[in-house]
Amino acid sequence: GNSVTQMEGPVTLSEEAFLTINCTYTATGYPSLFWYVQYPGEGLQLLLKATKADDKGSNKGFEATYRKETTSFHLEKGSVQVSDSAVYFCALSSGYALNFGKGTSLLVTP
Amino acid sequence: GAGVSQSPSNKVTEKGKDVELRCDPISGHTALYWYRQSLGQGLEFLIYFQGNSAPDKSGLPSDRFSAERTGGSVSTLTIQRTQQEDSAVYLCASSSRGLNYEQYFGPGTRLTVT
């Protein structure tokens, strides 16, 4: 069945540091891949997505590239801000329901 | 425009009682989903509605859980004879289509079973 594995947190970084959150997946067929973000006290929001191999999703300075050969969709940002502190979820969809990873908590300190 | 809304935002109930959780999807969205977010299990898919088709109930954890969607819009998730392990945040999402389309999530209902 489909599954997503993402690195455990919490991740603590200083402002302006480089961020990588690893995500790998197992799926049949050709899933779409997503990163969702949950800011403190708020609901889940779509951060970015990629629907086929080698696609790069990007938004708010975050990027992730759909790598079929390594079944990965790692999230990166070149310079994090305090406002990026949140929980990040990697997810896949090969139909309609989303399969989520466990989430990675990110804390950015000034 | 208005996003997905859910009510109540918090619900505390005694073990054995029934609860109803409500979801108002984004107007015009034909697909509606329920998920559960708990510390132990992470985010789990529960049920999916698409238009007037029969729902996919494959994620419901037991027959104490049921959901309906009236008029293709508002949905109610019902949990009968609640147990402590039902304590979680119940999230509703909607999308304009079902297949690989962006899902918009509501703020969730935090259910605590005492």
Side-chain angles (χ1 to χ4, degrees):
Chain A
N2 296 342
S3 66
V4 174
T5 303
Q6 61 182 105
M7 60 187 290
E8 293 187 17
V11 173
T12 302
L13 295 173
S14 298
E15 204 164 24
E16 298 183 3
F18 184 85
L19 168 72
T20 300
I21 300 178
N22 289 337
C23 171
T24 57
Y25 68 90
T26 302
T28 55
Y30 303 95
S32 292
L33 301 174
F34 306 84
W35 277 100
Y36 277 82
V37 59
Q38 190 170 34
Y39 297 103
E42 298 185 16
L44 276 170
Q45 303 173 26
L46 179 67
L47 180 60
L48 53 84
K49 67 178 182 181
T51 58
K52 61 183 187 296
D54 300 324
D55 268 3
K56 177 186 284 187
S58 61
N59 186 25
K60 299 182 181 179
F62 291 88
E63 293 183 340
T65 301
Y66 187 164
R67 301 285 189 202
K68 192 169 188 302
E69 63 276 14
T70 56
T71 60
S72 65
F73 192 55
H74 305 320
L75 182 68
E76 297 182 335
K77 186 174 185 181
S79 176
V80 293
Q81 305 300 311
V82 172
S83 57
D84 293 327
S85 297
V87 181
Y88 293 81
F89 294 89
C90 185
L92 71 82
S93 172
S94 59
Y96 44 80
L98 289 166
N99 292 93
F100 287 91
K102 297 286 190 185
T104 301
S105 176
L106 170 67
L107 176 63
V108 180
T109 58
Chain B
V4 178
S5 61
Q6 294 185 244
S7 61
S9 55
N10 281 284
K11 176 72 176 178
V12 180
T13 190
E14 292 180 353
K15 178 180 172 182
K17 302 280 191 182
D18 298 352
V19 296
E20 286 188 350
L21 312 179
R22 177 188 168 103
C23 171
D24 271 286
I26 293 172
S27 177
H29 278 190
T30 58
L32 186 147
Y33 315 75
W34 284 97
Y35 294 86
R36 177 168 71 174
Q37 185 175 22
S38 59
L39 281 176
Q41 300 299 320
L43 273 154
E44 306 170 275
F45 163 75
L46 297 177
I47 188 169
Y48 161 68
F49 295 89
Q50 171 61 279
N52 295 320
S53 302
D56 179 345
K57 306 179 183 179
S58 60
L60 295 179
S62 78
D63 58 9
R64 295 185 295 105
F65 288 71
S66 62
E68 62 178 20
R69 188 178 184 194
T70 53
S73 181
V74 171
S75 177
T76 302
L77 177 69
T78 301
I79 309 174
Q80 296 179 307
R81 305 181 303 281
T82 52
Q83 304 294 312
Q84 288 187 331
E85 61 262 29
D86 300 334
S87 296
V89 177
Y90 289 82
L91 297 171
C92 176
S94 70
S95 70
S96 58
R97 295 287 190 274
L99 190 64
N100 291 334
Y101 276 74
E102 177 177 348
Q103 296 181 26
Y104 295 82
F105 282 80
T109 294
R110 181 174 296 279
L111 175 67
T112 303
V113 182
T114 61

